[in-house]
Amino acid sequence: LHLEVSAEGARIEVGGKLQREGEKLDVDATVEIEKLPLGRGRVYLPDLGWTDFGGELDAKLHYVQVTGAKQTADGTVALRGLRVGVPSLQDPAFALGSLDVEIEQLDLLGRKLALGDVSLDGLRVYFDPADPAKLPLLPKGLPPAGESPPEAPSDAPPFAWSVGRFGISKSELVPLGGGLPPFGIEGTLESLASGATAPATLDLKLAQGDGSVGLAGKLLVAPPGFRGALTLDSLSLPPLLQAAAGEAAALLGAAVAK
């Protein structure tokens, strides 16, 4: 099996082997995607109210199916230059420089997903300090969910997942209104897994202006827990509280936390 399609600077190539024996179909295939433009996907999302949508997708995936015995995938997926525009903002409400995901194994029959390195760079998201849950990214809110029939009870175990390392760099949250400076975000999270008894390692930094707040230590998923250190370095409290509590910031004047 071999198929290759090229258009508008993008390339999709599928290759591999198919073997059919009665009702049994075994597959061993690779899929390579280069610079697939995402902009036309906006026409399928009219209810979101976006005025612009763009970016590119790269992927290299390996899929194996042995009927009744195995169904796995591994490889890499990357997004580049993702952006979302909305009527109320001149800049994109959501922008992403790059997102790289390493899939070590997706086991559909074994219900497991193991990710290796996940790197997020250049994220920029606008938010409303008065209502952080109301993002300009969704000017019309989420589209109403259609009614679906109740799912039948299942004895299948929950899907297990793990992430070797997640890193975020050169990213920021941008408050709307009030002239508040952006909040920069950088950090890493290592060895995170569902149901793990060993804790993950967290190192996170939120910066604003010349100040910052850091969180470093060990994180548990189940039961939720954290043990570590919180550090404050020349952090100006009024802008931070204005983003979180509006007029309450005026009570602190020019207070700085260290």
Side-chain angles (χ1 to χ4, degrees):
L1 168 67
H2 185 265
L3 174 66
E4 184 170 350
V5 178
S6 298
E8 299 182 2
R11 184 181 70 90
I12 301 176
E13 183 176 357
V14 180
K17 297 180 180 179
L18 301 178
Q19 182 176 345
R20 179 179 290 277
E21 184 178 341
E23 296 183 355
K24 182 179 179 182
L25 176 64
D26 294 344
V27 181
D28 188 334
T30 59
V31 178
E32 293 189 26
I33 301 173
E34 293 182 357
K35 298 183 178 180
L36 181 67
L38 303 177
R40 294 184 180 179
R42 182 164 63 96
V43 301
Y44 302 104
L45 304 168
D47 293 336
L48 294 180
W50 294 346
T51 57
D52 183 33
F53 178 65
E56 291 183 344
L57 171 69
D58 296 325
K60 187 173 184 179
L61 301 170
H62 177 218
Y63 175 76
V64 177
Q65 173 181 303
V66 179
T67 303
K70 185 177 184 179
Q71 196 173 7
T72 65
D74 60 82
T76 58
V77 177
L79 290 172
R80 302 276 184 267
L82 191 64
R83 67 185 186 279
V84 175
V86 298
S88 60
L89 291 174
Q90 183 175 357
D91 293 337
F94 177 97
L96 175 64
S98 65
L99 172 64
D100 294 272
V101 180
E102 178 189 7
I103 304 171
E104 292 184 344
Q105 185 184 54
L106 170 60
D107 185 348
L108 295 175
L109 297 184
R111 300 179 64 80
K112 293 186 295 184
L113 172 63
L115 300 181
D117 190 74
V118 179
S119 299
L120 190 155
D121 182 75
L123 175 70
R124 183 178 171 89
V125 181
Y126 279 84
F127 73 99
D128 184 352
D131 186 1
K134 186 178 180 181
L135 296 174
L137 172 65
L138 301 171
K140 295 185 178 181
L142 289 173
E147 294 186 7
S148 58
E151 295 183 2
S154 173
D155 295 329
F159 219 95
W161 55 267
S162 64
V163 180
R165 181 185 183 278
F166 171 77
I168 180 170
S169 59
K170 300 178 183 177
S171 297
E172 57 186 16
L173 302 175
V174 185
L176 290 171
L180 295 176
F183 297 91
I185 304 174
E186 292 196 0
T188 59
L189 181 61
E190 299 181 354
S191 303
L192 183 68
S194 61
T197 55
T201 301
L202 174 67
D203 187 355
L204 182 66
K205 182 178 180 181
L206 178 68
Q208 190 198 49
D210 296 327
S212 66
V213 54
L215 192 63
K218 300 296 184 179
L219 178 69
L220 274 175
V221 176
F226 177 77
R227 182 183 182 90
L230 174 68
T231 58
L232 302 175
D233 183 8
S234 302
L235 186 67
S236 178
L237 293 180
L240 187 64
L241 289 179
Q242 187 173 346
E247 296 179 358
L251 300 178
L252 289 178
V256 174
K258 295 185 178 181

